[in-house]
Amino acid sequence: MANILLIDDDTELTGLLQDLLELEGYQVRIANHGQEGLDKINEDTDMVLLDVMMPVLNGMETLRRLREKWETPVLMLTAKGEEIDRVMGLELGADDYLPKPFSDRELLARMRAILRRTAKSNGEEKGGEEAQDKLEYQDIIIFPGKMEVYCQSQLIELTGTETALLAYLVKQPGVIVAKADISLNVLGKRLAPFDRAIDMHISNIRKKLPERADGKPRIKTLRGRGYLLVEA
């Protein structure tokens, strides 16, 4: 089962979450502030649960520093109603966010969805045939099993969620893909009103991919309808 690093200064909450996750078979380590979390993360860490409001080093700065070195999936734990925290977290490379207070069932569902799409189910990287799969479209090459993306022969540093989202669009170029479909099939959750997670992931992908040689946009937004991977 996956190794989880829980970074939160609420010791009562971390104790409860540790008990819950260990009952589900996860291995859990705890850090009570951002710097301690950065010191504890390693190659064996499959996911980080990261609180926003913490002493010493807050969640946003922790995420920024973490992304300088690690591509480990991050689920942000945000205060309910603090949209700015969610937007900033997604811009900095968080895979998803979960507003507090949250139910045990929802937390576990979000974690499983992230682990599935980052190819680290049950704490082991997926291999075999899946790791050898390759998606190609124009100058983009995606290896879903390894969660690697190349564009114009350059390795593009996308998060696991961004890679899964791009792969979903690449499988259906020229087709308008509804946000509700992306949310369900990529993020593993139903689209909620005012949820901007998909918008932020698309924005990050656009920023990271180099421009097309013909100057056309790679991904087009159709307001109220969804997104479209632009064909030649």
Side-chain angles (χ1 to χ4, degrees), residues 7 34 38 50 54 57-66:
I7 309 176
L38 292 174
L50 178 61
M54 293 184 294
L57 200 64
N58 66 39
M60 295 303 172
E61 181 62 18
T62 300
L63 178 59
R64 186 187 68 78
R65 297 189 189 183
L66 184 151

Side-chain angles (χ1 to χ4, degrees), residues 179-232:
K179 288 178 62 175
D181 291 338
I182 295 174
S183 185
L184 190 61
N185 292 295
V186 177
L187 302 187
K189 61 182 181 180
R190 294 188 180 278
L191 183 66
F194 312 112
D195 189 337
R196 298 185 59 193
I198 295 171
D199 302 322
M200 298 311 304
H201 289 311
I202 291 288
S203 176
N204 288 343
I205 292 170
R206 284 174 171 148
K207 292 175 183 176
K208 294 177 181 180
L209 291 177
E211 292 186 4
R212 282 177 38 157
D214 59 10
K216 292 182 180 180
R218 294 186 181 275
I219 303 173
K220 187 175 182 179
T221 302
L222 292 96
R223 190 172 298 277
R225 300 177 67 187
Y227 295 99
L228 178 147
L229 190 67
V230 178
E231 294 186 295

Side-chain angles (χ1 to χ4, degrees), residues 70-87:
W70 303 97
E71 298 179 5
T72 309
V74 175
L75 176 60
M76 298 288 292
L77 306 178
T78 68
K80 189 173 184 179
E82 293 296 331
E83 181 181 6
I84 186 64
D85 288 341
R86 302 170 196 173
V87 172

